Amino acid sequence: MKLTELYQEVARRADTPKVQINAADVSRVLSVMFDILEDLKPAEAIDLVSKGLASAEKRRR
């Protein structure tokens, strides 16, 4: 999956009848998230990503 494809998929899944989120909005927000992760120590960044994935797994149950 390419990064632009990720942005488009996030926008598609985040849309609700009341809130429309486009890929440009997602790109802007995720770019800031990646900037923040880049500023962290690698172990901290991986820990945050791991926690996010664990949270996603809980939501799917």
Side-chain angles (χ1 to χ4, degrees), residues 6-48:
L6 175 64
Y7 295 157
Q8 291 167 353
E9 183 65 15
V10 169
R12 187 184 67 74
R13 290 187 187 195
D15 275 351
T16 67
K18 293 184 180 182
V19 178
Q20 298 296 306
I21 300 171
N22 63 39
D25 295 330
V26 171
S27 173
R28 199 166 34 255
V29 170
L30 291 181
S31 291
V32 172
M33 182 196 73
F34 288 131
D35 288 344
I36 292 167
L37 289 173
E38 191 268 332
D39 289 341
L40 298 174
K41 293 178 182 175
E44 289 178 296
I46 296 300
D47 185 51
L48 280 174

